């Protein structure tokens, strides 16, 4: 056995609405594979974001709630507090989580809410048409930074994984990417670990996934992978930022 | 196990022709087809199926879950 | 069970527990913080959930999440906090979830003040958040009624799958009154397996449930909004509540007043009666649905020359009163809005001068 690669059971047959080369579909698949492998379909509730991935519920066949922009961690908190037996995950982009929803994610992480966040960082607002995000790279041109992101005016991109790792409450915070197969294998392991921590009732877990948006970057998918590797990965370093075991505590 | 082999298939109408699988295939098996699919994309095809070692890199990279590699009995191989 | 003396805010918290609502999320704000303080101790006793959120915005979505997976949940806040929750309330109304919100109003706009007010009438009855939606809005006139309304609010929210707002004010929250609690509510939210994202295993189903408010197809969104409208129409038919007061008398002036304000009006009406002057009153207990027919009929009664909407706001409900009176007689406004509650004497004075001002009005009989 071993080498069997096919669509996870929990994924629907509906082709995604994403642009060619968009890695949302890939990350959906990793989440779906983990749900299948852990056998948790019947007790999983996802929170769909505002952004390109709002229709995630058309592709992953579990219960879903649809959030407002940035509020998914608060909704997940509400669910998890009244139904700790459910497995809850939020799926959020960088405008959603790192900008409008930064208060919600920080406080959810700080309370140690036992849900899992998949945080897709592609350095741009996707659905609204490629505007600058808090994660946009210095000099990166977007529709609202047409001359490139000027750090003297809008600051440096926010490193969410590192930021959340400063929180003293135990948690699992990791940064992964899906721009190459070897990284994809690692990303899936991290997502699985995150869900397992939740199932064990141990801690809040967040997997930041450095991702590509060829359409809004104005690049072909292959060029986008190259740009992400050269530009983003040197700034957004891969690996675990924090595990519940590494936590020193008080 | 020894009597098992692998079957590679592409769901042509899920494929959006992004080319990411082509770029990661270690054996250069894949290429973009010149025939349009239902959605108007040029999907990927196996130009050199004989070189495929079923490593799964293309499946891993595919954002649209358009590629599958499954185990199959030896007899089924002829029907591919 | 006998009567107990309880502060309004604490009685509201206890009423929710007795309504079977075992989850409460809130953010502190004067003059309602005692609800949180009470439930921080009470919820653990009954195995319930108490959580202080990081903001009212977050709290409104904690309510969304909890109610969206089939639990009973509620929150309490005061005016500026309700403004922040209005985003979530719109989503909850759009997603047709049965949540309960309690607004212990204070003066506004902006920071305003911390004394009682009825300045959030428009916000509660006309929307507050974006989009075409209504809350069912109930307005208690005392602690006992606040308790009863809290216990009614959950089944009503569940009946319509629509958020219910209880619009109190700082006076109701802060004052102590003797109260009797109704029997515990024993029902569960009905039909929740049909819509709640409570996990497929929970409801032994293989079909996922989706709780959402997005309808990109204009036809679908139109149909969705018409469905919501049909619910509001049904509320108007089945769940209008109001209290008529001295309405069988030969009044020349009709007061419309709700909540704390209506209690003072009752005293004023009693005092004026002693002086030989009859004044009628309709007290809306539901502000949405509004007692349209009752007000119209009372204003249409022979002899009624003028209707006055008495509010602790600068004339908000008066617009609905005018709509209901439909020109049968003049409609006036009287009120105060800085946190002071008009006294019975001030009300009597206003009533007399408004009658004088409208002496030429022939009233409804013509």
């Amino acid at each position: 056995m071993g080498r069997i690669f096919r669509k996870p059971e929990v994924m629907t047959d509906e082709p995604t609405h994403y642009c060619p080369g968009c890695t949302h579909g890939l990350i959906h698949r990793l989440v779906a594979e983990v749900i299948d492998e852990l056998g948790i379909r019947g007790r999983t509730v996802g929170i769909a974001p505002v952004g390109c991935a709002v229709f995630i519920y058309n592709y992953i066949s579990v219960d879903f709630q649809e959030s407002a922009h940035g509020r998914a961690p608060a909704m997940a908190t509400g669910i998890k507090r009244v139904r700790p037996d459910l497995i809850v995950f939020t799926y959020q982009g960088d405008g959603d989580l790192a900008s409008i929803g930064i208060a919600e994610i920080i406080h959810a992480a700080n309370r140690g809410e036992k849900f899992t966040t998949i945080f897709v960082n592609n350095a741009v607002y996707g659905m609204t048409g490629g505007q600058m995000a808090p994660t946009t790279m210095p000099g990166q041109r977007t529709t609202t930074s047409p001359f490139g992101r000027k750090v003297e005016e809008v600051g440096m991109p926010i490193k969410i994984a590192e930021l959340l790792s400063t929180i003293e409450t135990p948690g699992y915070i990791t940064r992964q990417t899906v721009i190459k197969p070897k990284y994809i294998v690692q990303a899936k392991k991290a997502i699985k670990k995150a869900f397992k921590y939740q199932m064990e009732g141990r801690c809040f877990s967040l997997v930041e996934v450095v991702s590509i948006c060829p359409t809004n970057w104005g690049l072909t998918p292959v060029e986008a992978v190259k740009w992400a590797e050269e530009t983003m990965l040197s700034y957004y370093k891969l690996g675990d930022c924090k595990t519940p075991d590494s936590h020193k505590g008080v | 196990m020894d009597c098992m082999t692998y079957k590679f298939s592409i769901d042509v109408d899920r494929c959006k022709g992004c080319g990411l699988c082509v770029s990661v295939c270690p054996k250069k098996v894949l290429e973009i087809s010149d025939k349009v699919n239902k959605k108007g994309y040029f999907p990927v095809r196996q130009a050199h199926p004989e070189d495929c070692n079923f490593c799964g890199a293309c499946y891993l990279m595919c954002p649209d879950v358009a590629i599958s590699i499954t185990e199959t009995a030896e007899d089924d191989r002829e029907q591919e | 069970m006998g009567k107990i003396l309880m502060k309004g805010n604490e009685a509201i918290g206890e009423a929710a527990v007795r309504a079977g609502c075992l989850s409460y999320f809130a953010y502190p704000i004067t003059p309602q913080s005692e609800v949180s303080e009470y439930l921080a101790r009470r919820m653990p006793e009954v195995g319930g959930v108490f959580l202080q959120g990081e903001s009212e915005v977050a709290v409104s979505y904690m309510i969304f999440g909890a109610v969206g997976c089939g639990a009973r949940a509620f929150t309490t806040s005061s005016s500026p906090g309700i403004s922040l929750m209005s985003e979530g309330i719109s989503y909850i109304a759009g997603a047709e979830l049965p949540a309960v919100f309690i607004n212990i109003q204070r003066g506004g706009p902006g920071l305003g003040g911390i004394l009682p007010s009825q300045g959030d009438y428009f916000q509660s009855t006309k929307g507050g958040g974006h989009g075409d939606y209504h809350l069912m809005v109930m307005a208690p006139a005392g602690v006992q009624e606040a308790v009863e309304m809290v216990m009614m609010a959950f089944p009503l929210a569940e009946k319509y799958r629509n958020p219910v707002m209880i619009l109190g004010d700082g006076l109701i929250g802060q004052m102590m009154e003797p109260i009797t609690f109704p029997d515990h509510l024993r029902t569960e939210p009905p039909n929740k397996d049909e819509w709640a994202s409570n996990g497929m295993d929970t409801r032994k189903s293989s079909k996922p449930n989706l709780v959402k408010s997005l309808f990109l197809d204009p036809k679908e969104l139109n149909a969705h909004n018409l469905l919501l409208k049909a619910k509001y129409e049904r509320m108007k038919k089945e769940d209008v509540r109001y209290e008529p007061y001295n309405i069988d008398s030969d009044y020349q002036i009709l007061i419309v007043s709700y909540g704390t304000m209506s209690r003072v009006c009752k005293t004023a009406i009693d005092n004026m009666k002693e002086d030989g002057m009859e004044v009628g009153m309709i007290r809306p207990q539901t502000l949405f649905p509004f007692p349209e027919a009752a007000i119209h009929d009372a204003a249409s009664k022979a002899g009624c020359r003028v209707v006055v909407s008495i509010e602790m706001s600068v004339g908000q409900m008066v617009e609905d009163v005018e709509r209901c009176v439909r020109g049968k007689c003049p409609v006036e406004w009287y009120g105060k809005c800085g946190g002071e509650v008009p006294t019975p004497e001030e009300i009597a004075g206003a009533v007399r001068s408004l009658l004088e001002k409208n002496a030429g009005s022939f009233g409804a009989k013509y």
Side-chain angles (χ1 to χ4, degrees):
Chain A
M1 294 294 283
R3 289 193 299 179
I4 296 184
F5 302 101
R6 63 166 166 237
K7 187 167 68 63
E9 293 281 320
V10 74
M11 272 197 108
T12 66
D13 290 331
E14 192 168 332
T16 69
H17 67 291
Y18 301 117
C19 304
C22 169
T23 40
H24 270 311
L26 200 169
I27 302 164
H28 290 4
R29 191 195 75 220
L30 298 184
V31 172
E33 285 175 354
V34 167
I35 292 173
D36 274 3
E37 288 167 21
L38 296 174
I40 53 174
R41 182 184 175 221
R43 59 186 182 116
T44 297
V45 180
I47 313 283
V50 166
C52 294
V54 60
F55 293 124
I56 185 172
Y57 45 70
N58 290 338
Y59 313 127
I60 299 182
S61 168
V62 298
D63 277 6
F64 264 97
Q65 292 190 8
E66 184 190 79
S67 175
H69 208 35
R71 316 296 180 222
M75 284 168 62
T77 298
I79 300 174
K80 205 61 195 184
R81 290 280 171 151
V82 300
R83 286 290 307 274
D85 57 315
L86 294 175
I87 303 299
V88 180
F89 75 94
T90 74
Y91 187 101
Q92 301 179 259
D94 40 16
D96 180 321
L97 183 141
S99 189
I100 194 167
I102 196 152
E104 282 79 2
I105 195 67
I106 286 178
H107 285 279
N110 193 54
R111 288 189 302 260
E113 299 292 347
K114 313 286 184 294
F115 66 83
T116 300
T117 291
I118 308 298
F119 167 47
V120 179
N121 175 2
N122 60 12
V124 79
Y125 280 76
M127 191 183 238
T128 44
Q131 293 82 14
M132 184 180 68
T135 46
T136 294
M137 296 304 293
Q140 185 184 339
R141 286 167 193 260
T142 70
T143 54
T144 51
S145 60
F147 311 110
R149 177 180 183 132
K150 289 193 180 108
V151 295
E152 61 275 18
E153 285 177 12
V154 296
M156 289 294 284
I158 293 182
K159 294 180 175 177
I160 287 293
E162 286 82 350
L163 183 80
L164 293 178
S165 296
T166 64
I167 288 171
E168 289 288 331
T169 313
Y172 175 57
I173 312 282
T174 184
R175 184 182 289 114
Q176 303 290 330
T177 184
V178 288
I179 60 172
K180 288 196 167 168
K182 61 174 180 184
Y183 296 133
I184 295 168
V185 174
Q186 293 305 316
K188 181 179 161 189
K189 279 185 188 160
I191 293 171
K192 197 166 183 176
K193 207 168 168 186
F195 273 84
K196 276 185 167 170
Y197 279 132
Q198 177 179 177
M199 290 167 75
E200 292 162 8
R202 285 193 70 183
C203 61
F204 170 76
S205 50
L206 177 139
V207 183
E208 175 171 343
V209 185
V210 174
S211 206
I212 60 171
C213 182
T215 301
N216 285 309
W217 292 358
L219 299 172
T220 67
V222 174
E223 289 166 349
V225 162
K226 191 162 176 279
W227 188 84
E229 189 172 28
E230 289 169 358
T231 315
M232 291 179 78
L233 292 192
S234 57
Y235 186 76
Y236 296 118
K237 298 265 193 269
L238 302 181
D240 291 354
C241 286
K242 174 172 157 177
T243 66
D245 306 309
S246 71
H247 176 72
K248 292 180 192 74
V250 284
Chain B
M1 275 314 192
D2 290 342
C3 63
M4 303 298 273
T5 181
Y6 297 100
K7 182 184 165 195
F8 176 98
S9 57
I10 296 169
D11 185 338
V12 173
D13 290 317
R14 277 184 90 99
C15 177
K16 294 170 187 159
C18 71
L20 288 176
C21 56
V22 178
S23 74
V24 299
C25 176
K27 296 286 184 185
K28 311 245 175 294
V29 172
L30 302 167
E31 68 176 31
I32 297 297
S33 156
D34 54 8
K35 287 192 192 113
V36 174
N37 72 5
K38 258 198 240 167
K39 296 218 162 190
Y41 294 117
F42 293 98
V44 72
R45 62 181 281 270
Q46 261 196 318
H48 308 289
E50 65 284 2
D51 292 340
C52 178
N53 63 1
F54 309 103
C55 70
C58 51
Y59 167 87
L60 283 175
M61 197 64 227
C62 178
D64 292 290
V65 207
I67 293 170
S68 59
I69 299 170
T70 48
E71 273 183 331
T72 175
E74 192 79 42
D75 300 347
D76 295 346
R77 209 178 180 187
E78 306 307 313
Q79 297 164 14
E80 270 181 43
Chain C
M1 192 177 174
K3 288 201 174 212
I4 24 175
L5 188 65
M6 249 181 135
K7 190 173 191 171
N9 281 335
E10 294 180 348
I12 283 169
E14 182 58 29
V17 170
R18 289 171 191 235
C21 174
L22 296 185
S23 21
Y24 173 78
F25 303 86
Y27 186 82
I29 184 170
T30 306
Q32 64 75 52
S33 297
E34 294 87 352
V35 188
S36 298
E37 290 164 2
Y38 181 81
L39 289 173
R41 290 169 181 276
R42 184 72 173 118
M43 280 301 186
E45 283 176 6
V46 292
V49 173
F50 168 87
L51 186 65
Q52 181 170 318
E54 64 269 31
S55 69
E56 285 94 344
V57 178
V59 162
S60 64
Y61 289 95
M62 289 172 185
I63 297 288
F64 186 121
V67 173
C69 68
R72 268 190 191 134
F74 88 115
T75 186
T76 56
S77 189
S78 181
S79 310
I82 297 290
S83 292
L84 285 171
M85 287 182 186
S86 293
E87 182 196 90
I89 293 174
S90 167
Y91 280 76
I92 287 170
E96 298 187 80
L97 296 177
V100 173
F101 291 83
I102 298 178
N103 181 0
I104 302 298
Q105 295 172 90
R106 54 187 260 181
L111 275 179
I114 57 167
L115 291 171
S117 162
Q118 295 181 327
D120 301 345
Y121 179 89
F122 282 152
Q123 184 193 50
S124 320
T125 60
K126 309 294 177 190
H130 60 284
D132 273 330
Y133 77 92
H134 280 288
L135 307 173
M136 178 179 270
V137 186
M138 305 170 93
V143 179
Q144 179 66 41
E145 194 174 39
V147 162
E148 286 161 13
M149 282 181 174
V150 168
M151 295 188 71
M152 283 160 65
F154 292 94
L156 280 170
E158 286 150 14
K159 172 180 175 183
Y160 292 105
R161 275 181 62 195
N162 197 71
V164 172
M165 169 78 76
I166 293 179
L167 194 64
D169 61 60
L171 207 76
I172 288 168
Q174 294 297 325
M175 79 181 155
M176 292 184 89
E177 285 193 300
I179 46 164
T180 313
F181 282 102
D183 289 341
H184 278 256
L185 207 60
R186 301 281 176 205
T187 58
E188 277 270 299
N191 310 325
K192 64 181 175 186
D193 285 352
E194 287 168 20
W195 52 266
S197 57
N198 54 354
M200 288 181 279
D201 286 353
T202 305
R203 56 182 187 274
K204 297 181 178 57
S205 163
S206 56
K207 195 184 136 288
N209 278 346
L210 170 62
V211 179
K212 68 155 187 173
S213 62
L214 178 69
F215 300 90
L216 280 184
D217 176 347
K219 284 194 175 61
E220 252 188 85
L221 181 57
N222 187 50
H224 178 64
N225 275 316
L226 289 176
L227 186 139
L228 297 184
K229 184 173 191 292
K231 290 204 293 198
Y232 309 141
E233 296 303 326
R234 192 176 154 212
M235 287 178 198
K236 289 178 189 176
K237 283 203 185 85
E238 297 176 17
D239 284 294
V240 173
R241 287 175 171 80
Y242 63 95
E243 181 196 13
Y245 195 73
N246 201 33
I247 216 75
D248 297 327
S249 67
D250 290 322
Y251 55 89
Q252 291 188 312
I253 184 163
L254 175 75
I255 292 175
V256 182
S257 187
Y258 71 98
T260 291
M261 195 62 256
S262 65
R263 281 175 75 153
V264 188
C265 288
K266 276 187 182 174
T267 308
I269 290 170
D270 294 348
N271 293 348
M272 286 185 274
K273 199 182 188 80
E274 277 179 23
D275 295 345
M277 181 177 173
E278 298 291 356
V279 178
M281 180 167 80
I282 298 288
R283 173 173 79 91
Q285 291 165 300
T286 52
L287 300 177
F288 189 92
F290 200 61
E292 296 170 4
I295 291 171
H296 181 77
D297 292 350
S300 306
K301 190 172 170 183
C304 181
R305 288 170 180 273
V306 57
V307 179
V308 56
S309 178
I310 302 186
E311 315 165 34
M312 279 142 60
S313 59
V314 203
Q316 297 192 17
M317 184 174 67
V318 64
E319 293 188 10
D320 279 336
V321 174
E322 272 179 332
R323 181 169 61 80
C324 299
V325 171
R326 294 203 299 269
K328 285 284 179 185
C329 51
V331 174
E332 300 276 2
W333 165 81
Y334 174 73
K336 280 191 178 180
C337 44
E340 284 175 292
V341 183
T343 62
E345 293 69 34
E346 285 172 323
I347 289 169
V351 161
R352 286 180 207 282
S353 69
L354 285 172
L355 252 186
E356 213 166 284
K357 177 184 162 195
N358 291 283
S361 159
F362 294 115
K365 58 186 164 182
Y366 297 97

